[in-house]
Amino acid sequence: MIINHTSPSLINKVTSSHSSLFRGALFFSDDVYIMTSSNEVHLYQVELQENEIIDFDDLIPSENVLDQLKLDVSCLFDLEIDDETASDLLLSNDYDEQLEIISNLLEEDNRDLFDIGYEYIGELSWNIQGLQALCAREMGFLACESQDEQGTVYALNLVDLESRLIYKGQLNNDA
């Protein structure tokens, strides 16, 4: 299977700070689509075998992944969560479900998400997608398959795996 990624810049090296919120994860689709207003758009492909893909709800998070997610929640919402709640968040692929989990925890603490800012749920959701890719990689898979507003998405943590990227050239962006 061939999957596609577009980028406004050339990708030479992927580090854990690449695409900052995603911790080195890049996102791919079956289709080529452009989500940047940049005039410069580069197309990359990765060839995947079925045994290199895990569905997000089959992930088994490591202590490392859970600890990173707990730190994210602490930094974004000043909340301490346990491993079970971190796992529930990681295995959630639904923005509204993530919103409900965080809102309920804040209510228990007599706080309201409105006072903190709803934009932080979006940031948490992006962090979760990056951690799902990291979890998949730790489990021996290259891609974590899930759904987003564009349809099926494959999150790949490509830190030090740039050789898997096949550069296909520059695209026209008429955005």
Side-chain angles (χ1 to χ4, degrees), residues 37-48:
S37 59
S38 173
N39 290 330
E40 190 171 315
V41 178
H42 302 276
L43 174 62
Y44 291 90
Q45 293 181 334
V46 167
E47 186 171 348
L48 282 179

Side-chain angles (χ1 to χ4, degrees), residues 26 29 35 39 56 67 73-75 82 108 111 117 120 132 156 158-159 170:
L26 299 177
S29 170
M35 294 189 62
N39 290 330
F56 79 94
D67 286 347
V73 170
S74 178
C75 291
D82 59 20
E108 290 173 12
R111 295 187 295 145
Y120 291 116
Q132 288 173 338
L156 284 69
L158 291 174
V159 174
Q170 199 165 340

Side-chain angles (χ1 to χ4, degrees), residues 23 65 68-69 72 90 127-136:
R23 294 180 168 90
V65 169
Q68 287 188 50
L69 184 50
D72 290 344
L90 184 80
N127 289 344
I128 288 170
Q129 286 181 303
L131 287 170
Q132 288 173 338
L134 177 62
C135 184

Side-chain angles (χ1 to χ4, degrees), residues 18-163:
H18 186 89
S19 304
S20 62
L21 296 174
F22 302 120
R23 294 180 168 90
L26 299 177
F27 295 86
F28 292 77
S29 170
D30 293 322
D31 301 318
V32 175
Y33 64 89
I34 299 171
M35 294 189 62
T36 180
S37 59
S38 173
N39 290 330
E40 190 171 315
V41 178
H42 302 276
L43 174 62
Y44 291 90
Q45 293 181 334
V46 167
E47 186 171 348
L48 282 179
Q49 304 302 317
E50 285 298 321
N51 64 354
E52 294 180 298
I53 305 168
I54 187 169
D55 195 75
F56 79 94
D57 59 4
D58 290 327
L59 294 171
I60 302 170
S62 67
E63 188 175 322
N64 171 49
V65 169
L66 293 176
D67 286 347
Q68 287 188 50
L69 184 50
K70 290 177 353 186
L71 180 62
D72 290 344
V73 170
S74 178
C75 291
L76 290 169
F77 305 103
D78 193 26
L79 283 172
E80 301 301 319
I81 61 172
D82 59 20
D83 285 352
E84 182 178 345
T85 303
S87 184
D88 289 346
L89 282 168
L90 184 80
L91 298 178
S92 167
N93 199 39
D94 182 70
Y95 174 88
D96 291 331
E97 185 177 336
Q98 295 164 0
L99 173 68
E100 183 179 344
I101 291 170
I102 295 298
S103 292
N104 289 341
L105 291 169
L106 287 169
E107 284 177 19
E108 290 173 12
D109 204 24
N110 294 319
R111 295 187 295 145
D112 189 287
L113 187 57
F114 181 79
D115 296 329
I116 294 171
Y118 281 90
E119 67 274 11
Y120 291 116
I121 290 293
E123 188 171 329
L124 177 65
S125 183
W126 295 327
N127 289 344
I128 288 170
Q129 286 181 303
L131 287 170
Q132 288 173 338
L134 177 62
C135 184
R137 176 127 177 229
E138 286 182 352
M139 292 177 64
F141 296 91
L142 184 60
C144 178
E145 181 179 349
S146 63
Q147 300 291 316
D148 71 4
E149 64 278 1
Q150 303 297 323
T152 301
V153 64
Y154 302 91
L156 284 69
N157 180 295
L158 291 174
V159 174
D160 297 325
L161 292 178
E162 301 84 1
S163 63

